[in-house]
């Protein structure tokens, strides 16, 4: 087990290194001059040279690359070219906001989808099976901004049940993060974007769990469990569902990757101050420190979740080992 974890960790670190190299190259191939954000052409040559030296822009490219890797490892991401604020502080705030929103929606999607998949498989061909399949596929096919806008029109503008934008009411200062996320105001702002995310990603775990359950329910060990006289609910949840969960665990890491990309749309529709919009703004403004760190940080989140998924396999099925399957 220790060797298995070590190999997975090494694989993840190598993947992160590859992501860091790609980001370094891509942002320097983009059109435009990032130094224009901090170095005015009106300054004399001596002043421009001093500023380039302060930002390390006068170094050869290979030295900039190793300095960049060092900063990524030590989390010394410098200051934003556009705001002058520390990048680490900005990213910490944006990432927390995104994780609060994303985790709420994805957890609900996976939990509800998994339970529905189990019930659909146990009632194959029934009303629940047909209705849940149609509704799930409709939500999956609909563009995220359409679902979000319809929810805003219906529940925010027409019925006025929920706020339409932001995380808390404008001008509200709740102090600590804990005070904010436990406040009624924050929970009201969280409901509509969370429902949107849940609706978008519900179909995948639901249908995967349904198909996996149908396969497992025809297995010999399930028939043996029934022959022993075990309760149908125990056979369904304790025996069949546990073995069928591997497929959902696998697809959950894929959902996370798609969710990070789709988060930009959700955060824009609901004016949620997270990583999505910040990444786009930084890329458009050639704010290298913010853009590189933001994309790298999101890559860390995705790779970490994939690592957790891989390691969870061995807990659900001890037969699975790296390099032996």
């Amino acid at each position: 087990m220790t060797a298995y974890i070590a190999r997975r960790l090494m694989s993840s670190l190598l993947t992160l290194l590859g992501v860091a190299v790609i980001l370094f190259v891509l942002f320097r191939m983009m059109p435009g001059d990032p130094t224009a954000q901090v170095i005015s052409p009106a300054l004399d040559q001596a002043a421009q040279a001093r500023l380039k030296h302060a930002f390390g822009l006068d170094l050869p490219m290979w030295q900039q690359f190793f300095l960049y890797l060092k900063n990524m490892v030590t989390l010394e991401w410098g200051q934003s070219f556009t705001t002058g604020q520390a990048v680490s502080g900005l990213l910490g705030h944006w990432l927390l906001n995104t994780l609060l929103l994303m985790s709420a929606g994805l957890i609900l999607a996976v939990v509800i989808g998994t339970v529905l998949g189990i019930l659909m498989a146990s009632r194959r061909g029934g009303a629940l099976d047909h209705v849940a399949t149609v509704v799930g596929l409709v939500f999956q096919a609909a563009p995220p901004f359409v679902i979000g806008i319809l929810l805003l029109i219906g529940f925010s503008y027409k019925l006025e049940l929920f706020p339409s934008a932001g995380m808390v009411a404008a001008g509200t200062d709740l102090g600590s993060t804990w005070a904010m996320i436990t406040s009624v105001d924050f929970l009201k702002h969280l409901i509509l974007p969370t429902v949107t995310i849940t609706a978008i990603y519900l179909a995948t775990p639901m249908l995967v769990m349904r198909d996996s359950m149908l396969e497992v329910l025809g297995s010999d060990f399930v028939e043996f469990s029934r022959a022993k006289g075990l309760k149908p609910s125990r056979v369904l949840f304790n025996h069949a569902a546990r073995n069928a969960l591997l497929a959902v665990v696998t697809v959950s890491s894929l959902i996370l990757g798609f969710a990070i990309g789709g988060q930009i749309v959700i955060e824009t529709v609901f004016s949620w101050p997270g990583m999505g919009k910040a990444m786009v703004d930084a890329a458009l403004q050639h704010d290298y420190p913010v853009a590189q760190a933001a994309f790298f940080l999101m890559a860390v989140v995705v790779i970490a979740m994939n690592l957790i998924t891989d390691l969870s396999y061995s807990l659900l099925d001890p037969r699975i080992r790296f390099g032996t399957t």
Side-chain angles (χ1 to χ4, degrees):
M1 186 66 178
T2 303
Y4 171 76
I5 295 175
R7 289 180 180 180
R8 286 302 192 195
L9 285 173
M10 182 60 65
S11 176
S12 299
L13 291 175
L14 290 175
T15 304
L16 278 178
L17 178 61
V19 170
V21 172
I22 292 172
L23 288 176
F24 180 85
V25 174
L26 283 180
F27 279 107
R28 279 150 186 81
M29 292 175 62
M30 292 175 63
D33 182 11
T35 62
Q37 297 286 343
V38 290
I39 303 175
S40 173
L43 296 174
D44 59 70
Q45 293 298 320
Q48 291 186 36
R50 286 195 297 270
L51 285 172
K52 286 185 178 181
H53 178 73
F55 284 100
L57 298 174
D58 60 338
L59 298 173
M61 194 61 66
W62 67 271
Q63 290 187 4
Q64 290 187 39
F65 175 70
F66 283 107
L67 180 61
Y68 157 81
L69 288 182
K70 175 189 173 185
N71 291 340
M72 286 294 181
V73 173
T74 60
L75 305 184
E76 293 292 338
W77 292 329
Q79 296 179 326
S80 167
F81 283 172
T82 55
T83 65
Q85 295 176 275
V87 174
S88 57
L90 292 172
L91 291 184
H93 174 70
W94 293 330
L95 180 62
L96 177 61
N97 295 345
T98 293
L99 291 179
L100 287 172
L101 176 58
M102 187 185 300
S103 59
L106 292 183
I107 288 172
L108 283 177
V110 172
V111 171
I112 295 175
T114 300
V115 174
L116 281 176
I118 295 172
L119 297 177
M120 289 164 65
S122 66
R123 296 168 174 82
R124 183 180 184 182
L128 176 63
D129 191 15
H130 292 301
V131 172
T133 300
V134 172
V135 172
L137 291 177
V138 168
F139 282 135
Q140 188 179 46
F145 70 89
V146 171
I147 298 176
I149 290 174
L150 289 176
L151 288 175
L152 283 175
I153 293 174
F155 294 95
S156 182
Y157 299 123
K158 295 292 185 180
L159 300 178
E160 298 183 354
L161 296 177
F162 302 105
S164 61
M167 293 176 59
V168 292
T172 302
D173 183 10
L174 298 174
S176 66
T177 301
W178 177 252
M180 180 191 72
I181 63 178
T182 54
S183 67
V184 175
D185 188 25
F186 172 78
L187 295 177
K188 286 183 177 180
H189 282 80
L190 183 65
I191 288 175
L192 289 185
T194 298
V195 171
T196 303
I197 295 173
T198 302
I200 294 168
Y201 299 107
L202 176 67
T204 301
M206 180 181 71
L207 296 178
V208 168
M209 189 63 182
R210 175 189 180 275
D211 292 344
S212 183
M213 280 291 295
L214 289 176
E215 182 179 350
V216 172
L217 286 173
S219 302
D220 292 338
F221 78 91
V222 173
E223 296 295 334
F224 180 72
S225 300
R226 289 169 176 164
K228 288 170 60 179
L230 297 178
K231 293 181 179 179
S233 59
R234 184 176 178 183
V235 173
L236 186 67
F237 288 97
N238 291 12
H239 295 274
R242 180 176 179 181
N243 286 274
L245 271 177
L246 279 176
V248 177
V249 172
T250 301
V251 80
S252 296
S253 61
L254 300 178
I255 293 174
L256 176 65
F258 287 117
I260 289 177
Q263 202 70 9
I264 297 174
V265 177
I266 302 300
E267 290 177 1
T268 301
V269 170
F270 292 97
S271 299
W272 191 271
M275 288 283 288
K277 192 172 184 302
M279 291 163 67
V280 175
D281 291 342
L284 293 176
Q285 295 168 359
H286 300 285
D287 195 343
Y288 279 7
V290 173
Q292 289 178 157
F295 278 93
F296 183 77
L297 192 56
M298 295 310 289
V300 169
V301 173
V302 173
I303 293 171
M305 289 305 298
N306 284 328
L307 176 62
I308 293 173
T309 300
D310 289 340
L311 296 180
S312 65
Y313 286 168
S314 60
L315 297 178
L316 293 172
D317 190 345
R319 296 170 299 176
I320 297 178
R321 290 293 183 271
F322 183 86
T324 62
T325 59

